[in-house]
Amino acid sequence: MRKVAFALLLILGLSLFAWPALGAGGYSEKLEQNYVVHWDGSADIKFVTTYYGPPDMVNKTKESIIKMGLGNATNMFVQQEVQALSQQGLTLVNATGKILGYNGTGPLVMIVTGKVLNFAKYYSYDGVWEIDLDLLRVNELSQIDPTKLNQSFDFDNYYVITLPEGAKIKKLPPEYQQESQGSYVFIKVNATGDTVKIHSHVHLSANVTMEDLNRLYGSPQAFVIQYTGRKGTEGNYTTWVLNIYNNVTVGKDSTVLDTVDEYLEPKSYINYLKLQIMSQGEENIIKSIYQSYEKNFQQQGVGIKEWNITLENVNSTKPLIVRLHWVLTNYTKYSNGVYTYTYDPTLGLNNIPTLNRIDAEINQSVITRITLPEGSKFTQIPKDIDLEVNGSKVIMKVEKVSDNEIVIKSQVFIRYGMKKEDYSAMMAKVPTQLEFKYTLAEKSNGGICGPALIVGLAVVPLILYRRRR
């Protein structure tokens, strides 16, 4: 649930990466977590963490507790637990703490009790409650590189989760076991009535290698308790909304590309972008945007004759708008008198990393108008796409304005909580490259840049997969 030895390290004022300096002996702890879950998704909790080693670290922590006073040390420990849980999107309220063994020769024990809000999440997508557990301590181990610390790590973990009365278990975490040259991990699961008991163990030897870690963690998966019984509310979740408008005008010797990126949601991320623009300066941000596009254009063999980038609404509460103007050369796909224009109707959203669900709502729309010179015409236009899976959808509609002008309207909407298997199956039905073919009145050096390139550079960086526990 927390960074390894989170409380110990902060009490000592030490960095997580200072472990090798903490003394001889391997790191060893036992974690006992008890949850009594309610139908509002909250859970009464009791965490008991017993620290066994390294001995020098435990002894120094005991000395620090005595020096600062038990009350102050306990308050600090509780606040660290509150902060650690908040980083995982969980709120700990009514928290109290207790420290045992600080004035003896045995292990150090830290206890925290309270209530965690939003411990279980409800998904209207399929009407189930889920509890996502980090049984293999991936969160903690991702903070360090065990292969470079020359120190063993031993995490013995016990979870007791009592579900709400009347809950019907639909899914339990799979049992798991892997071993590699003295390092091992395992998960054992047992359920009786409305109570789920889990024992997991992670042991990494002092000489663990990256090959060992790959063997132990080489099959990433979600460890989820899923149950039904009552409907819930989904509460707050992140919504990403981005609109892109492209005007592509094909000329004799070049192509003019005008793009407007309109960033609407989430407000917190848009405000963060605006603060970055104001702190770094618009000129520097524009330069950075240009360099990103230039690199991608060069990789496509595209030349830039002219360009202009402007930012709008930086100092207002309105959506952030980025306007880009390009005059481009040497991007043609020409064969036997026909030009081919490729288009990605997934808008680059066909491979969002997730182990279980899409933990956000995504709504991206792109409208692209392509105008060829007079006398030119489109000779092949792909069929429209209208695909929907339980509220999530991929849409592409093509309007033929004239022989030499079309408008492509695309939308990808991914519903919050969409299951990984449904998302993968939906996207498998959508091609990532569709071909629009056209002829020009006479062979030119202009051509047009494919929207896959346009969209790929403009998409908001989505951070959708986040281990919560």
Side-chain angles (χ1 to χ4, degrees):
M1 289 289 296
R2 304 156 334 284
K3 289 189 177 76
V4 178
F6 191 83
L8 296 175
L9 295 170
L10 289 190
I11 289 175
L12 285 167
L14 296 171
S15 163
L16 187 66
F17 297 96
W19 286 7
L22 293 178
Y27 180 84
S28 177
E29 73 167 46
K30 180 172 73 173
L31 174 65
E32 300 168 275
Q33 294 189 347
N34 286 269
Y35 301 88
V36 178
V37 187
H38 305 288
W39 277 117
D40 63 357
S42 67
D44 298 321
I45 62 102
K46 181 179 181 181
F47 296 166
V48 181
T49 308
T50 304
Y51 300 97
Y52 296 101
D56 286 356
M57 183 184 76
V58 174
N59 291 334
K60 288 179 181 178
T61 304
K62 291 178 179 180
E63 293 171 4
S64 297
I65 292 170
I66 294 172
K67 185 176 180 179
M68 72 172 59
L70 180 61
N72 291 333
T74 302
N75 290 336
M76 181 180 294
F77 164 65
V78 170
Q79 287 307 307
Q80 289 164 5
E81 193 70 56
V82 170
Q83 292 173 12
L85 290 171
S86 70
Q87 292 173 359
Q88 301 168 42
L90 300 172
T91 302
L92 176 61
V93 298
N94 302 327
T96 61
K98 185 182 293 186
I99 300 177
L100 305 176
Y102 66 94
N103 55 357
T105 58
L108 182 65
V109 180
M110 295 189 177
I111 304 171
V112 63
T113 60
K115 174 174 281 192
V116 173
L117 307 181
N118 302 317
F119 174 66
K121 297 180 69 174
Y122 180 77
Y123 294 96
S124 64
Y125 180 84
D126 50 349
V128 300
W129 292 87
E130 282 191 357
I131 297 169
D132 187 4
L133 298 166
D134 186 9
L135 300 179
L136 294 180
R137 308 295 288 271
V138 174
N139 283 337
E140 290 88 339
L141 292 172
S142 66
Q143 307 290 325
I144 60 174
D145 184 352
T147 64
K148 295 182 179 178
L149 293 179
N150 194 30
Q151 192 168 9
S152 65
F153 298 91
D154 196 84
F155 306 91
D156 199 18
N157 314 292
Y158 297 85
Y159 305 84
V160 178
I161 300 100
T162 303
L163 301 176
E165 184 177 357
K168 297 179 181 179
I169 297 174
K170 289 193 63 177
K171 183 179 181 180
L172 291 171
E175 295 201 349
Y176 188 89
Q177 185 169 346
Q178 292 291 339
E179 186 273 335
S180 182
Q181 300 190 84
S183 297
Y184 62 88
V185 298
F186 70 72
I187 297 172
K188 296 181 179 180
V189 182
N190 177 265
T192 304
D194 59 4
T195 301
V196 180
K197 295 183 178 181
I198 303 172
H199 177 206
S200 73
H201 201 107
V202 177
H203 177 81
L204 304 181
S205 61
N207 59 349
V208 67
T209 66
M210 191 56 65
E211 289 77 14
D212 296 329
L213 294 176
N214 287 335
R215 188 172 300 170
L216 299 179
Y217 291 90
S219 302
Q221 55 188 293
F223 296 103
V224 173
I225 298 172
Q226 189 181 92
Y227 60 95
T228 59
R230 293 187 190 176
K231 289 185 177 181
T233 56
E234 290 182 319
N236 297 324
Y237 55 84
T238 302
T239 299
W240 296 87
V241 183
L242 171 63
N243 294 333
I244 301 175
Y245 306 91
N246 299 311
N247 274 297
V248 183
T249 305
V250 179
K252 272 188 152 186
D253 301 313
S254 61
T255 295
V256 177
L257 168 60
D258 288 297
T259 298
V260 178
D261 301 335
E262 186 179 26
Y263 297 86
L264 289 88
E265 297 285 350
K267 290 290 192 301
S268 59
Y269 182 73
I270 307 306
N271 291 334
Y272 167 77
L273 291 179
K274 291 179 178 180
L275 286 173
Q276 291 297 308
I277 293 169
M278 288 186 283
S279 64
Q280 297 182 33
E282 287 193 24
E283 288 187 6
N284 290 327
I285 295 297
I286 288 172
K287 181 180 179 181
S288 178
I289 294 172
Y290 170 78
Q291 290 173 343
S292 295
Y293 273 85
E294 181 187 37
K295 180 180 179 181
N296 280 272
F297 283 143
Q298 287 177 347
Q299 291 174 349
Q300 298 281 335
V302 178
I304 302 174
K305 289 179 65 175
E306 300 176 22
W307 69 278
N308 185 55
I309 300 174
T310 58
L311 309 175
E312 297 180 9
N313 300 333
V314 175
N315 294 304
S316 77
T317 58
K318 296 179 181 179
L320 177 63
I321 292 177
V322 181
R323 295 185 184 272
L324 305 103
H325 172 76
W326 306 95
V327 180
L328 306 170
T329 62
N330 300 325
Y331 192 85
T332 58
K333 293 183 179 179
Y334 179 79
S335 177
N336 298 323
V338 177
Y339 294 82
T340 301
Y341 173 74
T342 59
Y343 186 83
D344 179 5
T346 72
L347 306 183
L349 297 173
N350 62 309
N351 192 27
I352 298 171
T354 181
L355 296 181
N356 185 37
R357 294 180 183 267
I358 304 296
D359 209 17
E361 179 181 285
I362 305 166
N363 190 354
Q364 184 169 317
S365 298
V366 177
I367 298 177
T368 300
R369 181 180 296 270
I370 304 172
T371 305
L372 306 177
E374 288 294 331
S376 305
K377 65 177 181 179
F378 286 91
T379 60
Q380 177 179 307
I381 296 175
K383 293 181 180 180
D384 292 347
I385 295 173
D386 193 347
L387 178 64
E388 182 172 347
V389 177
N390 199 12
S392 297
K393 54 190 175 182
V394 179
I395 295 173
M396 185 194 76
K397 296 186 181 300
V398 183
E399 177 187 352
K400 186 176 181 181
V401 180
S402 65
D403 283 346
N404 68 318
E405 184 176 353
I406 62 170
V407 176
I408 309 169
K409 296 181 179 180
S410 286
Q411 181 191 18
V412 174
F413 177 82
I414 301 177
R415 184 177 171 185
Y416 168 72
M418 187 178 194
K419 295 190 293 184
K420 176 185 177 181
E421 55 266 32
D422 292 347
Y423 162 75
S424 298
M426 181 179 76
M427 287 301 181
K429 297 177 182 178
V430 185
T432 57
Q433 284 196 344
L434 293 177
E435 293 186 344
F436 292 76
K437 294 187 177 182
Y438 61 96
T439 58
L440 297 180
E442 60 182 75
K443 189 172 183 291
S444 72
N445 293 320
I448 50 181
C449 289
L453 174 62
I454 299 166
V455 172
L457 289 167
V459 169
V460 174
L462 301 174
I463 306 174
L464 298 173
Y465 169 63
R466 177 169 56 90
R467 296 290 300 181
R468 295 173 52 247
R469 315 195 209 292

